[in-house]
Amino acid sequence: MSRLSEVLPKRIDPGFLISVALLTAAGMAMVYSTTSGTPLAGHWGKQLIFVLSGITAAVVLVTVDYRLLLKSSPAIFLFSLLLLVYLPVFGTRIAGAKSWIKLPGGFSLQPSEFVKISTALLIAWILENDDRTFLSRKTGLLILAAVGVPVALILLQPDLGVALTYVPLAVTGLFLGGLRLRWWVLSAVLAVVFVGSSWFFLKEYQKDRIRTFLDPDLAARGAGYQVRQARIAIGSGRIFGKGFKKGTQSRLGFLPVRHTDFVFAALAEEQGFVGVAGIVGLYGLFLSRGFAIARDARDRGGSILVLLIVIDIVVQALVNIAMNVGILPTTGITLPFISYGGSSMLACWAMAGLCLSVSYRRFVNV
Amino acid sequence: MGAAIDLSAREDRKPLLVRIDLIAAISWGAFILILAVYWVHQVLRGDEFHRQAENNRQRSIPVTAPRGFIVDRNGVPLAENEPSFSLLLYRREASDVESSLQFVSSVTGTLLEDLRRRILRSGDGRDYLPVILEENLSVDEAAAIEAHALEHPEFVIQISERRIYKGGPIAAHLLGHLGEANPDQVQARNGRVRPGEWIGQKGVEAVYQDLLAGVSGARTFIIDSFGREVAELDRQEPLSGNTLILTIDSRLQKIAEAYFEGRVGSAVALDPKSGEILAFVSAPAYDPNLFAQRVSKDDWDAILNNEDKPLNNRLLQNVYSPGSVWKAFVAYAILMHGISPSERIPCGGGATFYGRFFRCHSHHSTVDLPTALQVSCDTYFYQMGRRLGIDVLAETADLFGFGRPTGIDAGGEKSGLVPSPKWSLAVRKHPWYPGETISVSIGQGPLLVSPLQVARALSALANSDGALPTPHVFHMAENVRTRERFLYRPPVKEQVPFDPGVREAIVEGLFRVVSRPGGTAYAVHVPGLDMCGKTGTVQVVGQKDPKKMGHLPEKLQDHAWFAGFAPKDDPRVVVVVFVENGGHGSKAAAPLAAKLMKAYLRGFPETEETHVSVTAQTEEAAPPAGSTEE
């Protein structure tokens, strides 16, 4: 027995790891169930490759000291921004957005998913250097800039869905740093004004999404079709679901993008409320173990890094689950660890690896 | 290890820890909210959504029953079905609709813009619903498209049955045609017909719609979101429609139609005893196959703009003056009112009534009734008509069924008009002119009859008991599976009363018309056939002196009538022929009547001819076979 095999169980948070592993396994099962026997049947094998690369990335990040990463975060951040700058010019256009870099072997990467990691590192580093109870103006602006620059670049692609996943980073960072109440009130007012006026800048398809969100039955067969079919899929699963690979809504194609954005509806159809509660429970376990890691973290930077990551992932999961059932408008947000998609899977596991790295180094004398 | 924890570092993290707890509390709230929403959907409203999901994937479509064939009395098919291929486009499946259309255009030769128009005309932005791109594809075209199914998954070939009338325009007006049920028809048939279903629109196709249509079945199957069938769940077989066996004899029908090549008019042959119609012609005809698909605008215009109006059923829907044919019925009135058939009237080329000279077409000496019929003397009938008066003539017309529908089972017929003083006051708002009685007594004036009415009325003279039959084309119907047959059930019999000797006197006159020298139709007589009949010629324009008019344009020439039956002693067939602008009845109409009666009573010459030609071919084919033996 090596020393590592004795130490790891004590230092790696088992609850956190189990939640991530089970969510990933459930995702693999759902990708298989929704694509086997269809032209997308090959996706299951690809997903396996994504998961394995994600786990590899996580293992590497556990072994690297996160404090080193925090210290070099400005450099990492700037380097990752280069990828985003590269995209609007040279990126491959997929589904109307230049957000992909083509890789050999038929794979493609979405840098915006990885920039999220460097952004989280940068915000954690900024807040580690300003540990006052309430946020200074300078630190607040730095955090806004850390999020604002990549978001602006992502909106240029344009990919509203991924850009929105950056919002929790900013909000969490400002909140943990101690933004004063008056600023929250002001931002809330500004947010309302912004959301209200943004209607005039939205593309027609984005407006449609909001319209159909507000009244899915209005356009039951038009733009509201996806939302309506997803709700039918979810509801028709009832308590125990229709069974693995037996979801009629997903297998017969009524459910749109059933292996990516709407994979949760497919799961709800096949596994019922029991399955829904199970997955939501796993995200709950992920959240609670993540917060425990944050509380026990050895330093402020590690704690904030874990919080940023955990909250970002959980918010993304909740938004996706809410979007599936139609209580939030449809945006291209994936379900972390579950949706089919290489970049998302890789980024999620890398972030989980960072959390485990913090957990692994929670004792000062490591 | 634990002892090494830097407690002071933890102390200044207190605000951070409070904030963490706050975030955790908000997060748990969000978790519970989400679970509650899913609880509502899956547990509280689960059954409702489950039903919707089932409705989504299950589709039930009616399966139209094979329509019953229509055959003639000898089983010769008149209307059948054949498979028809339609091409459906699922736009959602197409990577590029434009290139899909180009592919179809290259196979079928349909112009690209026509295909684009069909998509537009489908008027449906819902791209998951199929568009019918082509109908009635040939087998080759359907196969060519099927062969590219892998590159073009957006196409589906649908097989259905369509009506085909192999004889083309043969008996078109009798058979009628199919068309999509319009909203009024759907409502009138109260659930038995679906909107857009093809139903009989005219002729026997319409009259016997329920009998021919059968009972629709239903198929329930699972579909995917493109509406494509994935698997079948349930199937209820349709019940085929009955075979409709008509009284028509297509051999007789063909002789009659051949005669009308290039002529306008109508003809009918019927069995006077039963009222069974043996031949039913209205010319010009149209090809009912044109209606078996959506009629193209050009074809439709060609039919509508044809000034001979091919859609008119001239046998029952056009009414004309009966002309001299009418004299056969005036003869009945004469004899039934105590006037002797041997009473003689001097002709003198016409006579003056009420200050006006009424001309006879010829200058006869003195004529009795049979002779008056034989030579069609107008003066005789002028005189008799005046003596009888218009009321007696109208009564007689009514007895023979004029002025009301004959009751034929082949679609809407016109009643014609039997004029009377009462009618004149009520409709024309002026009194009856006595001079009109004189005109009516030779079948002119306001009196209007359809050729079919004449055939029915003549049957009462042909039948020894004076029975007035109801003309019909329904012979029997046969259930395709059980072979059970439904026979024609005649309605209550009408009868024309005859005093002794009356019928015989009239028949003698009609016999002389065809079979005695001097009769107006003697030219067409067939020795031994004992044909009886009456010619009629109806003026289209008033001609003061025909000899001075010279040759008239076709549209102004006289209409030609011939109504007759044979054989004299036991009539088995009544024939009425009417040729519009044909000229004299004896020349334009009588020859066909004679031909039909001869064919019906003596057998069909052209069946023998076909037989002979087949034998001739076999004989010709024989020598080579023999030569190989050598």
Side-chain angles (χ1 to χ4, degrees):
Chain A
M1 281 291 169
S2 70
R3 182 174 163 269
L4 199 63
S5 64
E6 277 172 37
V7 170
L8 269 179
K10 288 175 191 159
R11 294 198 167 187
I12 295 292
D13 189 297
F16 188 84
L17 188 58
I18 284 169
S19 70
V20 168
L22 288 182
L23 284 171
T24 305
M28 301 267 300
M30 283 320 296
V31 169
Y32 178 77
S33 166
T34 53
T35 58
S36 77
T38 75
L40 303 174
H43 281 43
W44 188 80
K46 279 180 153 186
Q47 181 80 340
L48 186 64
I49 295 172
F50 299 149
V51 169
L52 291 176
S53 5
I55 291 173
T56 311
V59 169
V60 169
L61 286 169
V62 170
T63 59
V64 175
D65 189 344
Y66 68 91
R67 279 171 305 188
L68 195 68
L69 294 173
L70 283 179
K71 271 179 203 134
S72 42
S73 65
I76 298 172
F77 181 74
L78 286 175
F79 174 76
S80 68
L81 278 189
L82 284 181
L83 289 176
L84 285 183
V85 173
Y86 163 90
L87 275 175
V89 190
F90 304 105
T92 310
R93 193 174 287 275
I94 296 180
K98 279 191 178 179
S99 34
W100 302 84
I101 293 177
K102 273 228 150 123
L103 294 183
F107 293 98
S108 41
L109 278 184
Q110 209 174 359
S112 46
E113 291 281 0
F114 303 101
V115 176
K116 217 188 307 181
I117 303 173
S118 63
T119 306
L121 282 169
L122 185 66
I123 294 171
W125 178 75
I126 292 167
L127 285 174
E128 189 173 49
N129 296 328
D130 183 355
D131 58 359
R132 279 168 289 190
T133 308
F134 290 104
L135 209 57
S136 69
R137 189 168 301 168
K138 182 189 141 204
T139 311
L141 288 176
L142 274 175
I143 292 171
L144 283 180
V147 175
V149 172
V151 163
L153 288 171
I154 291 166
L155 285 176
L156 278 179
Q157 295 173 354
D159 192 338
L160 182 66
V162 176
L164 283 175
T165 63
Y166 280 67
V167 173
L169 290 179
V171 174
T172 312
L174 292 172
F175 181 76
L176 293 176
L179 189 69
R180 285 189 183 275
L181 188 63
R182 57 173 181 267
W183 288 106
W184 286 114
V185 174
L186 186 64
S187 345
V189 171
L190 283 177
V192 168
V193 171
F194 173 76
V195 168
S197 59
S198 69
W199 177 260
F200 303 102
F201 301 102
L202 286 178
K203 299 244 161 41
E204 203 47 45
Y205 79 95
Q206 291 167 326
K207 287 185 185 174
D208 273 348
R209 284 177 179 179
I210 291 171
R211 284 193 198 107
T212 56
F213 161 68
L214 294 173
D215 186 2
D217 294 322
L218 184 78
R221 281 299 205 169
Y225 177 77
Q226 296 190 344
V227 177
R228 191 183 145 79
Q229 293 300 337
R231 288 180 65 186
I232 292 176
I234 291 164
S236 67
R238 299 191 279 196
I239 297 178
F240 298 106
K242 296 176 186 170
F244 188 64
K245 285 178 73 176
K246 286 188 181 137
T248 57
Q249 286 286 103
S250 61
R251 303 274 315 168
L252 295 172
F254 293 102
L255 191 61
V257 286
R258 56 189 185 271
H259 58 296
T260 58
D261 294 6
F262 281 95
V263 70
F264 194 75
L267 181 137
E269 183 186 23
E270 295 192 348
Q271 306 303 328
F273 184 72
V274 172
V276 168
I279 297 297
V280 172
L282 284 176
Y283 281 113
L285 179 64
F286 175 80
L287 179 86
S288 77
R289 290 318 305 160
F291 279 24
I293 293 171
R295 283 196 191 91
D296 290 347
R298 170 176 131 181
D299 49 32
R300 180 176 164 90
S303 180
I304 287 173
L305 177 64
V306 171
L307 288 169
L308 285 170
I309 286 171
V310 168
I311 288 169
D312 187 67
I313 286 177
V314 166
V315 166
Q316 196 180 327
L318 288 177
V319 166
N320 177 278
I321 292 172
M323 171 192 102
N324 268 260
V325 79
I327 54 173
L328 283 182
T330 309
T331 49
I333 290 179
T334 57
L335 188 58
F337 299 110
I338 292 183
S339 286
Y340 171 83
S343 305
S344 164
M345 183 62 74
L346 203 54
C348 284
W349 270 92
M351 291 197 276
L354 282 174
C355 292
L356 290 172
S357 173
V358 172
S359 165
Y360 183 77
R361 293 177 176 77
R362 67 183 180 274
F363 305 113
V364 176
N365 61 341
V366 169
Chain B
M1 291 192 285
I5 291 171
D6 181 354
L7 283 170
S8 65
R10 297 280 147 93
E11 280 306 297
D12 67 340
R13 266 208 264 164
K14 211 163 192 176
L16 183 63
L17 290 174
V18 171
R19 284 164 194 158
I20 290 174
D21 289 342
L22 197 58
I23 291 178
I26 295 170
S27 305
W28 292 127
F31 273 93
I32 288 164
L33 185 68
I34 281 281
L35 278 180
V37 172
Y38 274 79
W39 175 269
V40 169
H41 276 77
Q42 299 192 281
V43 181
L44 301 184
R45 294 177 64 191
D47 291 340
E48 173 192 330
F49 281 114
H50 193 262
R51 250 193 323 275
Q52 289 186 28
E54 289 299 292
N55 287 343
N56 248 350
R57 74 182 184 116
Q58 287 182 14
R59 194 124 309 169
S60 200
I61 57 158
V63 181
T64 307
R67 196 173 174 87
F69 288 8
I70 302 177
V71 301
D72 85 342
R73 62 186 307 125
N74 303 313
V76 176
L78 299 170
E80 300 164 272
N81 307 321
E82 65 169 13
S84 143
F85 302 96
S86 307
L87 180 64
L88 307 187
L89 167 69
Y90 286 83
R91 283 164 289 170
R92 235 206 220 177
E93 290 258 289
S95 50
D96 174 22
V97 171
E98 192 58 28
S99 71
S100 302
L101 296 188
Q102 273 164 14
F103 168 67
V104 174
S105 179
S106 71
V107 173
T108 65
T110 310
L111 291 176
L112 261 181
E113 48 262 48
D114 285 344
L115 295 173
R116 288 194 203 109
R117 208 172 305 132
R118 279 171 209 172
I119 292 185
L120 284 180
R121 209 176 38 199
S122 74
D124 212 319
R126 301 179 292 177
D127 64 359
Y128 55 89
L129 290 179
V131 176
I132 300 173
L133 219 48
E134 298 270 13
E135 285 181 315
N136 299 312
L137 289 179
S138 70
V139 178
D140 287 346
E141 289 167 338
I145 290 166
E146 279 290 317
H148 291 81
L150 279 179
E151 303 126 76
H152 290 285
E154 68 272 25
F155 292 123
V156 169
I157 303 250
Q158 203 177 50
I159 305 169
S160 53
E161 283 198 323
R162 74 166 177 144
R163 202 60 157 169
I164 176 150
Y165 306 92
K166 286 243 170 80
I170 292 286
H173 296 89
L174 172 63
L175 297 174
H177 56 79
L178 305 185
E180 282 178 299
N182 62 41
D184 290 343
Q185 289 167 330
V186 172
Q187 206 172 16
R189 299 191 155 255
N190 193 20
R192 279 172 300 156
V193 167
R194 301 181 302 274
E197 191 178 335
W198 287 74
I199 63 167
Q201 297 288 7
K202 277 193 168 172
V204 293
E205 292 272 31
V207 173
Y208 294 109
Q209 161 68 20
D210 290 342
L211 196 143
L212 289 164
V215 181
S216 298
R219 248 160 54 76
T220 308
F221 48 88
I222 296 179
I223 52 157
D224 64 13
S225 58
F226 300 115
R228 295 197 167 192
E229 188 177 333
V230 177
E232 188 170 272
L233 281 181
D234 185 41
R235 189 188 186 99
Q236 230 185 312
E237 293 296 340
L239 298 175
S240 299
N242 296 288
T243 304
L244 177 59
I245 301 161
L246 297 181
T247 58
I248 296 294
D249 187 320
S250 37
R251 296 170 297 182
L252 214 53
Q253 180 77 21
K254 274 178 193 153
I255 295 173
E257 299 211 358
Y259 183 80
F260 272 99
E261 198 74 42
R263 290 185 169 95
V264 175
S266 55
V268 61
L270 55 77
D271 176 339
K273 293 189 182 71
S274 62
E276 289 178 3
I277 291 183
L278 304 165
F280 183 114
V281 181
S282 172
Y286 59 93
D287 186 353
N289 289 310
L290 284 178
F291 295 92
Q293 49 194 298
R294 282 173 189 83
V295 187
S296 81
K297 202 184 170 305
D298 289 349
D299 288 339
W300 190 232
D301 286 350
I303 290 174
L304 283 187
N305 296 335
N306 186 333
E307 56 177 13
D308 287 332
K309 302 202 182 340
L311 290 179
N312 270 14
N313 189 339
R314 291 180 149 77
L315 195 56
L316 6 150
Q317 289 168 347
N318 281 26
V319 287
Y320 313 89
S321 293
S324 299
V325 165
W326 171 244
K327 290 171 183 165
F329 307 103
V330 178
Y332 171 86
I334 293 166
L335 296 174
M336 290 296 283
H337 284 80
I339 298 168
S340 162
S342 51
E343 183 179 331
R344 294 175 157 266
I345 302 274
C347 170
T352 304
F353 302 95
Y354 313 108
R356 192 190 134 195
F357 183 72
F358 286 81
R359 199 170 44 78
C360 182
H361 65 90
S362 181
H363 206 102
H364 308 107
S365 53
T366 51
V367 293
D368 61 3
L369 175 72
T371 315
L373 284 173
Q374 181 183 2
V375 300
S376 203
C377 176
D378 291 338
T379 314
Y380 178 91
F381 286 95
Y382 292 146
Q383 298 286 7
M384 290 300 176
R386 193 194 50 172
R387 264 154 76 177
L388 295 168
I390 184 63
D391 288 327
V392 167
L393 292 178
E395 236 170 68
T396 305
D398 182 63
L399 268 181
F400 280 92
F402 292 107
R404 54 192 152 97
T406 63
I408 191 180
D409 50 348
E413 50 176 328
K414 284 240 175 89
S415 296
L417 177 67
V418 175
S420 67
K422 214 194 273 174
W423 160 83
S424 182
L425 274 176
V427 178
R428 297 194 303 189
K429 313 287 181 211
H430 66 71
W432 180 257
Y433 302 128
E436 289 182 292
T437 307
I438 309 303
S439 296
V440 166
S441 53
I442 60 152
Q444 306 279 356
L447 177 66
L448 292 172
V449 302
S450 74
L452 185 66
Q453 283 175 330
V454 173
R456 183 187 187 213
L458 195 63
S459 299
L461 287 178
N463 288 331
S464 56
D465 59 352
L468 190 65
T470 300
H472 62 273
V473 291
F474 182 95
H475 192 37
M476 55 183 99
E478 188 181 83
N479 185 308
V480 178
R481 277 178 312 125
T482 63
R483 300 273 155 208
E484 191 187 347
R485 287 187 160 187
F486 314 96
L487 298 177
Y488 177 74
R489 253 184 283 164
V492 183
K493 220 175 181 179
E494 281 186 70
Q495 224 163 348
V496 178
F498 282 97
D499 288 347
V502 169
R503 189 185 154 270
E504 290 70 17
I506 301 170
V507 169
E508 176 58 28
L510 298 180
F511 176 70
R512 289 204 218 156
V513 169
V514 190
S515 305
R516 287 287 174 267
T520 52
Y522 182 67
V524 301
H525 85 281
V526 177
L529 211 57
D530 288 355
M531 291 190 279
C532 309
K534 185 73 198 76
T535 54
T537 307
V538 180
Q539 289 178 8
V540 175
V541 285
Q543 292 162 261
K544 282 208 174 110
D545 188 345
K547 277 150 204 130
K548 283 186 191 162
M549 294 294 284
H551 190 72
L552 278 165
E554 198 199 318
K555 284 285 151 195
L556 297 179
Q557 288 199 17
D558 295 343
H559 295 326
W561 276 102
F562 183 85
F565 54 84
K568 180 191 173 202
D569 292 332
D570 179 25
R572 283 161 52 207
V573 60
V574 166
V575 175
V576 171
V577 178
F578 182 84
V579 183
E580 279 183 26
N581 311 113
H584 198 276
S586 62
K587 289 206 183 70
L592 172 62
K595 222 180 194 176
L596 291 176
M597 288 194 255
K598 187 183 165 199
Y600 186 69
L601 298 172
R602 292 253 170 102
F604 292 89
E606 66 270 71
T607 37
E608 285 158 20
E609 275 165 33
T610 1
H611 182 71
V612 167
S613 67
V614 167
T615 332
Q617 273 176 9
T618 358
E619 276 165 14
E620 272 170 24
S627 60
T628 45
E629 266 179 38
E630 289 170 3

